[in-house]
Each structure stands twice: as structure tokens, then as C-alpha cells.
Amino acid sequence: MNTIAEHIADFLKKYPPFDNLTFQELTEISLSIRVINLEKHKVLFQINDALHDSFYVVASGVINLSVIADAEETLLNKCYEGDIFGLRPFFAKNNYMMTAKAREETIIYAIPIATFRPFVANNSDVLDFLLHSFASNTSNPSDKENTRGSLISDNVYYSEQQSEIQYFQSLTYNVTPIISTASSIIQEVAQLMTNALSTSAVVCENTFPVGIVTNTDMCAKIATGRIPISSTVDKIMSSPVVTVVENVSLAEAQLLMLKYNVTHLCVTQDGTDKSAVKGVISEHDLIVAQASNPGVLIKEIKRSQNPKDLKSIRERLTELIQKSIHKNIPLSHVNNLASEINLAIIKRSVELSILDLGSPPARFAWLCIGSQGRKEQLLTTDQDSILIFEDVTADKYRDVKDYFLKLGKRTTSILEKIGYEPCPYGHMGSNMLWCKSLTDWTNQYNSWMNTPGENSNELSSIFFDFEIVIGEKKIEEAIENVVYNNLRNNTLFFDFLGNDALKRNSPLTFFKKFNVEEKGPNKDKFDIKTKALMPLIDGARLFSLSHSMRGINNTYLRFKQLAMADPKNSEVYLNCAKAFLILSKYRTMEGLKNDSSGQYINLLELSKADKEIIKSALAPMDELEDLIKNKFQLTQFS
């Protein structure tokens, strides 16, 4: 038995966070580990299953983690040798939120949580690794190169679900806590706490925290007469103190309070008790922070009466995006959050216009297209929208169209005041070309898809990324049906879209240098939107349309879904999904820094390492291009 435990300990020692433990500790843990053999396609746990008493490490083989959304199974991640998954029972009480299934014959180690927990409590590096992963859905958080041995979170927030802002929401807390020494008299400290309306005092030795006294200690130990009020504070303080770093998130703070069963956390310079105290987080601070989650922001949006109110909410969203990127939160989380709030702002803008104009004379749907339609709008880029109203009799058509054009103009003007620039190509509901009846729109899509390149309104592929903001869902579904009915055996349309996806200039030169702008105001800058992100967006759209995938417009999720639908090429799609997030992050950082759309990256301001990260994210594009040419029998000159 011991030789098996040693063999397991040897294996674990190679991967984080186990590499922070001694061989002796690992052998002790290994004695209680169960070895599980899973046959191909065997399910270990699935969505809504009750939590197990263990978490898991892949010893050999591959585990697929997936969720079901809109009755479709979507692959979220693959776990290989050394990867940890199934951490949910460690931190949460509710059931599993995903399914874990063996992709091939797989051996996994089940590590009992009861056995492992003491080792976590005694080792802050192990705890940080687990917390960071659970809270932020990253792979191995300490490892940017993503070598094996990563953590796959069980906290998956799907675009259909309420975005979980608390996983990257910073906390406001008391930055001037009461400080006392171990020899301070309890009565004096109690007086200080009362005067400052504080629920705690930190006990320090040479500025380092050694204990904490809270209202609870005062009630349980002094008010009951167990310890006289004239005693010194060290007789009632809780020690050691649970310490955290300065930019701890709401979720991390909640998890730590739950884990250690405490009501206060001490904020220190480096997050340990060997550095100076910077503040104290109380349970009350967590309750206050909960009040500014997306639900609350969306309630504020619904109550807004003018563009000025909406503009201030949009600015708060920008701050939130900035903080989350600074905290290395996965972009897919941030996207979910931003898209919910962006769509709520646009919806309220349409409602404010209706309040001015009076009730619409017919049912309608306002659809966002382009980046808003794909739920990828982190920065305030330009507006893209279309307006569809139901069919009316010929004698009413003119008046009805006039009303909706006015609605379009008023709404785009409100959105401009909030900070969304008008679309330079006029793709907006205020343009009479893009504000028309359902039959006119049906004819438009039929024409685009059956005779692409031949009609006067040139086909723009962004019209195939749409999301309803307000109005009649059935109208959006009718347009969706027109699109999907026209896809069958439509080689002409796919030839057109495929060539459109291939016509962009390569992001790198023959000598692997960035293909920068040669003239104009952005001379020597790299156009990350056109040269890097658009080929991925176009490729994801092209393949998801060819697979008739409904209801998934987001580029990252399209690639994830394609990896499930076409396992033979799953690696290409998963690489593209990852590349899309990396490139989007650099674009967003550029945009936040310069208050711009982030389209043009100033390469002089990037470190050598950043340039290399971007270059390696461009690598999957060649594979995607080859896939397009092979699948649709294209050459770039067809």
C-alpha cells in the first residue's frame, strides 16, 4: 500500500499546488487517495449532481468539462495529466455546475477534502492557488505559459446566467483601523472601538498583526463576566489573524471568512502577517459591496430618466472593466458582465425615446449587430443596430416607418450622448436602409444569401451577428429562421463569406515582424482589430453558420462549441478561442489606457514579452485559414 502512496506522491510532486508540499505531507495525503478508472465517455459527475467528498487530479487520459446551454452541450475545457478539477465541494455548498466526462480511457486520483483541508490551512500558497482558480476560472493562475498542472474552475458563468461580478469586484473597507498592543487594557480598547463606531481592533507588534479583537469577543468574553474588563487585550484576542492582500475581491473575502469561520479579515501590505496593516474588512463591508453588483447596476439603469444618468453608469462599468483586467480576471467573465450592462443601457435608451414619442404603432424588434450583437463590447465602440417592425397594410406603411425612423434617430442620439459613437458606415436603426418591415428584411436576407455580391446593399457579415435588445422576440426568431433556411446547400453564400474571411492582410510580415500602418495618424501602429481579431471573428461566424449553430453569437463561445461539433479539428478551435481572449485583452487595455476603441496598438509601449504573447496568439490563424480553404474548397483567388 505504501509503495502505491509513494508512487502517487511522486506524481503529485510534479504539479502545482502540490509542489508547495513536502514529500512526507504528500505521502500522508496519498494514503487516503482513491484511484478511479474511467472508461471512455464515462461520466464522473454531471450538472446538478450532489457534491462529492473529494476533488480530482488527472493521472492519465483526458477529462472533458462541459455545460448545457440552450439544450446544447458546450465544451468548456479539457483536463490533461496533472490538471485539477472538481473543486466546487471545497468552497461551495450547492450542486455541481458542469459535467466531467472521460474523453478516452482515463485514470484519476480522488483526493478527500477532509484529508487535504489541513494542508491548505497551513500553506498560503496552496490556498491562494485554489482560491484564485475557484474564483476566477483561470488555468494554473501562477503560470502564464500554461504548462500542465492547471486548475479548471467549477465556477462557470454562462452568458445566459447572471454574471458574477463578485469574482472580480474590489472591496471598500476601513483603511484606518484601530490598532492596539497586546498589553493594552480591554476597557480602553472597547472605549476606542465605541468612539470610532468600529467593530474591531487589530493587535500589533512592530506594526505586524498578531491578533484581532471584535465586538463578538467583547460580548462572549467580557459581557459574560468570563474575563475582567481590566485585563489585557491578549487575553481575549483571536490569533493568528486571517490576512489578505490589498486588492482582494469580494468573492475571495467571502470564501476566506467561510473557510476560517471569522467575521473580519486583516488587510496587509503583502497579504501575510509579516507586513504592515493596511485595513480591516468586516462582514458588513461584504454586505455593502453586494449592493453594487450587476443586478443593482441594472436596476439603476431601469430607473434612469436621461442620457446623463446612463452615461455615469457606463463610466462606472468602464472602471469595473479596468479593475477586473488589472486583477487578471478571465475576459470571458468580464464580457458577460459588460454585455449585460451594455444591453440594458441600450434598452433603456430605446424606452426613453418611446416615452418621448408615444407608443409604437406596431410591434417591433431592436437588434444590436456587430460586436454588441456578439456580446463583445468592452469598450464604448460605435453603435451598430437594425430596426424591424411587423408587416402592416400598405396604407399605414409610410406612417409606421416614419415613427420607427424617428425612434431610431432619437435612440442613436441618446446613445451618442452616453458615449457610443455613430457607426461610420451608417449601420443603424436611424438609417432608412436599416429600418424596415419584416417582409422587407426577409427579402434583404434572401437577396444577400442567394445572390451575394450582386445586390446594391453590399453584404456585411456583421448582419449575421445579432441580439435582440427590446421588442418582440418572435420577430428576431423569424429573421433567424430566414438565415438558417437559406444556409442549406448554399455553396455560393459560403464561397462569398469564406473569401471575405480570407481577404484581410496578414498580421505579420514574411520576417515575422508586425504588419504596421504605413501612413496616416496611426503610422507604425498595429491594427489589432482588422489584422488579428477580425479574421478570428469571421472564421468563427463562418464555421458556426456552416454547422447551423443557433443562439451562439459570441466568438469565444462559437469556437468552444465548434470544438464539440467537429472533434477532428477541436485543437484548432480551442487554440483560436484562447487566442481571441488574449488579443481582445490587449485591445481592451489599449482602449482603456487611451480612452479609445483600442484598435491601434502602440508597439513602442509594449514590452518584448507582450509582443511575443501577441505573436504567439496570432499563430492559430494560419491553421484556421487552412481549415477554411479545405472545408469550403477555396483558394484566395476564387
Side-chain angles (χ1 to χ4, degrees), residues 107-120:
I107 297 171
I108 53 174
Y109 295 145
I111 304 179
I113 284 161
T115 306
F116 197 66
R117 200 181 287 277
F119 296 97
V120 176

Side-chain angles (χ1 to χ4, degrees), residues 569-617:
N569 296 304
S570 67
E571 204 165 325
V572 177
Y573 296 128
L574 290 175
N575 289 343
C576 287
K578 191 173 165 190
F580 179 75
L581 291 185
I582 292 168
L583 296 166
S584 298
K585 186 171 179 178
Y586 278 97
R587 178 186 177 179
T588 305
M589 289 193 299
E590 184 77 23
L592 291 169
K593 192 168 62 184
N594 301 308
D595 194 20
S596 68
S597 71
Q599 179 167 350
Y600 296 96
I601 301 277
N602 187 343
L603 296 170
L604 298 174
E605 291 173 7
L606 288 185
S607 67
K608 190 176 178 209
D610 282 331
K611 285 180 199 164
E612 287 310 313
I613 290 170
I614 293 177
K615 278 183 187 171
S616 61

Side-chain angles (χ1 to χ4, degrees), residues 228-496:
I229 199 160
S230 54
S231 299
T232 49
V233 163
D234 59 341
K235 303 286 186 296
I236 63 165
M237 71 182 188
S238 301
S239 179
V241 193
V242 182
T243 54
V244 292
V245 285
E246 290 182 70
N247 65 346
V248 67
S249 74
L250 170 57
E252 289 165 324
Q254 279 177 323
L255 290 170
L256 282 168
M257 281 188 190
L258 280 170
K259 181 178 185 319
Y260 292 108
N261 195 21
V262 294
T263 54
H264 292 73
L265 301 171
C266 186
V267 181
T268 62
Q269 202 154 7
D270 69 0
T272 73
D273 58 6
K274 299 286 180 284
S275 66
V277 174
K278 290 290 184 181
V280 170
I281 297 169
S282 69
E283 272 188 324
H284 177 70
D285 297 325
L286 300 192
I287 293 161
V288 171
Q290 298 276 21
S292 57
N293 69 20
V296 175
L297 277 184
I298 285 171
K299 275 182 193 148
E300 278 185 47
I301 291 167
K302 286 177 176 170
R303 287 198 297 267
S304 297
Q305 294 303 314
N306 54 55
K308 197 165 144 239
D309 294 347
L310 292 170
K311 185 173 192 209
S312 79
I313 293 168
R314 175 61 231 198
E315 282 161 0
R316 275 157 66 194
L317 173 62
T318 302
E319 276 171 41
L320 194 65
I321 291 166
Q322 201 146 16
K323 275 184 190 165
S324 12
I325 283 177
H326 174 65
K327 281 179 72 66
N328 256 335
I329 302 304
L331 213 64
S332 48
H333 275 12
V334 189
N335 254 331
N336 282 348
L337 165 74
S339 64
E340 296 296 331
I341 293 172
N342 269 321
L343 289 173
I345 289 173
I346 298 164
K347 181 179 183 184
R348 187 63 186 154
S349 304
V350 180
E351 287 170 349
L352 291 175
S353 303
I354 290 172
L355 286 172
D356 280 349
L357 288 173
S359 296
R363 285 178 296 186
F364 74 101
W366 180 289
L367 305 187
C368 277
I369 56 171
S371 61
Q372 284 174 339
R374 291 191 302 273
K375 295 187 170 180
E376 290 165 3
Q377 199 183 40
L378 288 171
L379 302 159
T380 42
T381 51
D382 51 336
Q383 312 175 31
D384 290 296
S385 60
I386 63 175
L387 227 170
I388 308 167
F389 52 88
E390 67 180 340
D391 291 323
V392 292
T393 52
D395 56 322
K396 288 186 185 160
Y397 185 90
R398 179 83 185 271
D399 289 344
V400 170
K401 177 148 181 164
D402 278 352
Y403 171 90
F404 285 111
L405 276 171
K406 279 184 195 148
L407 179 66
K409 286 193 169 76
R410 196 162 288 230
T411 303
T412 50
S413 151
I414 290 174
L415 289 169
E416 201 174 344
K417 286 176 188 155
I418 296 167
Y420 300 93
E421 292 294 316
C423 171
Y425 307 106
H427 295 145
M428 294 182 297
S430 54
N431 179 339
M432 60 192 306
L433 275 179
W434 313 127
C435 167
K436 49 196 177 191
S437 71
L438 182 55
T439 293
D440 289 347
W441 270 114
T442 301
N443 294 337
Q444 177 71 76
Y445 274 93
N446 282 335
S447 157
W448 273 334
M449 295 182 75
N450 297 318
T451 54
E454 287 177 29
N455 46 65
S456 54
N457 292 338
E458 195 185 325
L459 163 61
S460 172
S461 48
I462 64 166
F463 286 99
F464 293 90
D465 302 330
F466 50 77
E467 175 79 20
I468 187 164
V469 174
I470 184 171
E472 198 70 38
K473 184 81 182 140
K474 283 194 167 60
I475 291 178
E476 183 199 31
E477 285 166 5
I479 290 296
E480 206 175 51
N481 289 337
V482 173
V483 170
Y484 286 93
N485 290 340
N486 275 317
L487 288 176
R488 286 187 208 109
N489 306 320
N490 195 337
T491 46
L492 191 64
F493 174 65
F494 285 115
D495 191 59
F496 183 88

